[in-house]
Amino acid sequence: ITEQMKEHQLVVGKIKSAMTYPTFIIFASMLILVGMLVFIVPRLTKVYGDTGVELPMITQKIVQLSSFLQNHYILVVLGIIGFALSTYFFGKTKQGIKIYHKIFLKMPVISNVAKLNNVMLFTTNSAILLQNGIQLVEALDIVSKITPNHYYKKAINGYREKMISTGESLSETMGAYDE
């Protein structure tokens, strides 16, 4: 079990380090965008304002956004902080956990990593428990309790309950499970 936990921590560490670069790129891109809206667009607005030419609709909207950011930057910063805090605390609630877990299972790159991580935890923990003489139904109960994702936990409990109620094998139960 200790080796499996070390291996799991290694995988989690690799996942986190793999997500660091994309997170940095997104954050840097947002900072560059805000910088352009706050510093460059106002200068361009003055240049085009002096010509008297009417700007295209999308350019007008960009100018309006730039103006809003300049005039209400405190509201924008407070809004971002409020959004970040509410997102964080919502993620600690039962409903928030369910929603975040569903999002993780739907996002293009993250979904593959999340699915592989949950399947790896399911298979390795089940194998360890079964090799040490734990009965399958009890092993599924234990594995469901240590599975991090709500929907995988629900599926494992569904397998267990169906095996108990119908007497089917695990493979039959997993093959027919559709949630």
Side-chain angles (χ1 to χ4, degrees), residues 94-106:
K94 273 188 175 182
Q95 191 64 28
I97 290 169
K98 288 180 186 179
I99 290 171
Y100 288 170
H101 286 180
K102 181 164 260 181
I103 290 170
F104 289 148
L105 293 175
K106 300 283 183 189

Side-chain angles (χ1 to χ4, degrees), residues 20-36:
T20 302
Y21 181 70
T23 302
F24 172 76
I25 294 298
I26 290 170
F27 183 72
S29 298
M30 292 172 112
L31 283 177
I32 291 169
L33 178 65
V34 169
M36 289 177 64

Side-chain angles (χ1 to χ4, degrees), residues 122-148:
F122 173 76
T123 55
T124 54
N125 288 323
S126 297
I128 290 168
L129 292 169
L130 293 172
Q131 287 172 353
N132 287 293
I134 306 293
Q135 295 295 317
L136 180 58
V137 173
E138 187 179 346
L140 289 175
D141 184 46
I142 294 168
V143 170
S144 74
K145 290 177 182 171
I146 60 175
T147 299

Side-chain angles (χ1 to χ4, degrees), residues 15-54:
I15 291 168
K16 286 182 180 179
S17 66
M19 295 307 294
T20 302
Y21 181 70
T23 302
F24 172 76
I25 294 298
I26 290 170
F27 183 72
S29 298
M30 292 172 112
L31 283 177
I32 291 169
L33 178 65
V34 169
M36 289 177 64
L37 287 170
V38 171
F39 299 109
I40 296 174
V41 171
R43 290 181 183 170
L44 293 174
T45 303
K46 288 178 187 175
V47 170
Y48 283 111
D50 293 341
T51 63
V53 177
E54 185 176 341

Side-chain angles (χ1 to χ4, degrees), residues 1 52 55 58 78 123 127 132 153 165:
I1 293 176
L55 299 173
I58 193 157
L78 289 175
T123 55
N132 287 293
K153 187 178 297 215
S165 66

Side-chain angles (χ1 to χ4, degrees), residues 71-179:
N71 296 329
H72 305 292
Y73 64 91
I74 292 175
L75 288 176
V76 172
V77 170
L78 289 175
I80 291 170
I81 291 170
F83 177 76
L85 287 174
S86 63
T87 302
Y88 174 78
F89 288 116
F90 179 68
K92 299 293 184 187
T93 66
K94 273 188 175 182
Q95 191 64 28
I97 290 169
K98 288 180 186 179
I99 290 171
Y100 288 170
H101 286 180
K102 181 164 260 181
I103 290 170
F104 289 148
L105 293 175
K106 300 283 183 189
M107 289 178 77
V109 175
I110 295 173
S111 68
N112 292 336
V113 174
K115 289 174 185 177
L116 289 173
N117 184 43
N118 281 285
V119 169
M120 181 188 78
L121 285 172
F122 173 76
T123 55
T124 54
N125 288 323
S126 297
I128 290 168
L129 292 169
L130 293 172
Q131 287 172 353
N132 287 293
I134 306 293
Q135 295 295 317
L136 180 58
V137 173
E138 187 179 346
L140 289 175
D141 184 46
I142 294 168
V143 170
S144 74
K145 290 177 182 171
I146 60 175
T147 299
N149 187 283
H150 169 78
Y151 295 97
Y152 275 81
K153 187 178 297 215
K154 185 177 174 183
I156 294 167
N157 281 327
Y159 302 153
R160 185 178 157 276
E161 290 171 13
K162 189 169 183 185
M163 286 176 60
I164 292 170
S165 66
T166 64
E168 292 179 351
S169 68
L170 179 60
S171 62
E172 292 171 329
T173 304
M174 289 177 84
Y177 195 77
D178 62 353
E179 286 188 48

